[in-house]
């Protein structure tokens, strides 16, 4: 494992320990509503602080973009993008689908990624050009051709209700052609699952960079494709994501494109 990934793993495990410490005591937590349907708890904040502490100990000059703390000043050629608890709503309801997500972007290229599910003790790691791994075992996307018999992941645009009608139309376009569609509520894990072959494809509207930075590298390193709704590599800018193996990726793009509003095609 690359030394930088080891640092990220240490940070993710520190956050995971905090997350598990309170997972049976969520009724005692202080919970704030950042915006409609977007919650943050003291666990999110404490876990993020633990991650930043580990990163800054090893790389004091690097900058950090965290979901809760925002951007910290530092060397912009080396920026860590972190989500201390992807799936906060799941966590607060005792639904065990959440994870820590950490990625390092070096000179605008994502070089290392860690996604850690502390509840299931599953550690996904990836480094550019070195493959993707689950608990140190190599993982690959599925080799499915077409959408028939596939299992596709997605996410409802609950933070962007203006896109709900459009999303429903894309759902209608995909639904008849696949075995099933799953909405588990943690995009980082959805992308990690895709990399591990548990899902065949994925699409979602309006993600943030910390939701997908680590997962995007995992998908690529596992042999998959990821892009925005126009098939470009601007998903980190637009927040709109399609991913899968080569054929599934193309098929999802083809099915949803006629139903996208003009602003989602940019």
């Amino acid at each position: 494992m690359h030394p930088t990934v080891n640092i990220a793993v240490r940070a993710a495990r520190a956050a995971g320990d905090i997350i598990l410490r309170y997972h049976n005591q969520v009724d005692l937590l202080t919970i704030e509503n950042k915006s409609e349907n977007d919650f943050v708890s003291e666990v999110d904040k404490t876990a993020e602080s633990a991650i930043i502490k580990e990163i800054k100990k090893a790389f004091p000059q690097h900058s950090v973009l965290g979901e809760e703390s925002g951007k910290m000043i530092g060397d912009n050629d080396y920026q860590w993008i972190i989500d201390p608890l992807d799936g906060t709503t799941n966590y607060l309801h005792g639904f065990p689908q959440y994870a820590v997500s950490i990625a390092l972007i070096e000179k605008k290229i994502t070089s290392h990624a860690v996604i850690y599910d502390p509840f299931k003790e599953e550690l996904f790691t990836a480094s550019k050009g070195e493959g993707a791994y689950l608990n140190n075992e190599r993982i690959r996307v599925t080799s499915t051709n077409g959408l028939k018999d596939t299992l596709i992941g997605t996410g409802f645009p609950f933070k962007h209700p203006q896109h709900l009608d459009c999303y429903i139309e894309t759902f209608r376009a995909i639904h008849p052609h696949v075995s099933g569609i799953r909405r588990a509520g943690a995009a980082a894990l959805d992308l990690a699952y895709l990399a591990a072959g548990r899902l065949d494809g994925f699409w979602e509207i309006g993600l943030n960079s910390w939701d997908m930075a680590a997962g995007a590298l995992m998908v690529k390193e596992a042999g998959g494709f990821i892009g925005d709704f126009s098939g470009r590599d601007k998903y980190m800018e637009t927040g709109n994501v399609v991913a899968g193996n080569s054929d599934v990726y193309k098929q999802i793009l083809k099915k949803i494109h006629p139903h996208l509003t003009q602003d989602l095609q940019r």
Side-chain angles (χ1 to χ4, degrees):
M1 193 180 294
H2 193 283
T4 302
V5 174
N6 280 326
I7 301 298
V9 167
R10 190 183 310 158
R13 290 192 184 280
D17 288 345
I18 292 166
I19 290 166
L20 288 183
R21 189 182 309 156
Y22 293 99
H23 84 284
N24 284 325
Q25 305 175 54
V26 295
D27 56 321
L28 303 178
L29 297 176
T30 300
I31 301 168
E32 300 172 16
N33 206 340
K34 293 190 290 185
S35 60
E36 186 69 22
N37 297 319
D38 192 6
F39 302 97
V40 60
S41 73
E42 59 193 283
V43 169
D44 297 71
K45 295 177 180 180
T46 306
E48 183 165 295
S49 295
I51 294 170
I52 293 171
K53 180 179 178 181
E54 290 293 336
I55 290 172
K56 286 293 187 176
K57 188 189 305 181
F59 305 105
Q61 302 305 317
H62 288 192
S63 65
V64 178
L65 175 62
E67 178 178 8
E68 310 309 335
S69 61
K71 186 175 181 180
M72 298 179 63
I73 302 301
D75 185 350
N76 285 326
D77 282 343
Y78 297 88
Q79 184 178 66
W80 293 84
I81 299 182
I82 60 177
D83 189 340
L85 180 52
D86 183 46
T88 298
T89 300
N90 286 349
Y91 179 76
L92 295 176
H93 285 80
F95 187 83
Q97 187 75 355
Y98 44 80
V100 182
S101 178
I102 303 174
L104 174 61
I105 296 181
E106 300 185 41
K107 298 179 179 179
K108 299 183 179 181
I109 296 174
T110 308
S111 56
H112 303 290
V114 169
I115 295 173
Y116 177 50
D117 179 342
F119 189 85
K120 304 182 190 74
E121 296 187 354
E122 291 190 326
L123 179 68
F124 300 85
T125 59
S127 292
K128 185 171 174 57
E130 298 180 19
Y133 297 83
L134 167 55
N135 293 341
N136 296 317
E137 296 290 331
R138 187 74 180 261
I139 54 177
R140 297 284 298 178
V141 297
T142 61
S143 56
T144 308
N145 290 318
L147 294 178
K148 185 180 179 182
D149 300 326
T150 58
L151 183 63
I152 306 297
T154 190
F156 305 140
F158 64 93
K159 296 180 187 177
H160 306 279
Q162 72 273 22
H163 295 312
L164 182 58
D165 289 342
C166 176
Y167 171 78
I168 291 172
E169 291 306 311
T170 65
F171 188 97
R172 290 182 192 277
I174 297 292
H175 181 266
H177 305 283
V178 302
S179 287
I181 298 175
R182 299 289 180 265
R183 197 279 177 175
L189 276 180
D190 287 336
L191 292 170
Y193 280 18
L194 194 156
R198 296 173 178 175
L199 292 171
D200 298 288
F202 177 80
W203 93 101
E204 186 163 351
I205 295 171
L207 290 174
N208 292 302
S209 58
W210 47 79
D211 298 317
M212 55 183 162
L217 181 63
M218 300 225 174
V219 169
K220 292 177 183 178
E221 289 298 319
F225 289 75
I226 184 166
D228 64 14
F229 289 168
S230 295
R232 305 165 301 176
D233 63 355
K234 295 185 177 181
Y235 49 91
M236 292 280 282
E237 300 169 29
T238 66
N240 305 320
V241 182
V242 173
N245 67 34
S246 177
D247 194 57
V248 172
Y249 170 73
K250 292 175 184 176
Q251 290 294 323
I252 294 176
L253 281 174
K254 182 179 179 181
K255 296 295 183 186
I256 70 172
H257 193 266
H259 306 282
L260 298 174
T261 54
Q262 189 172 4
D263 59 325
L264 291 177
Q265 294 179 21
R266 295 171 184 166

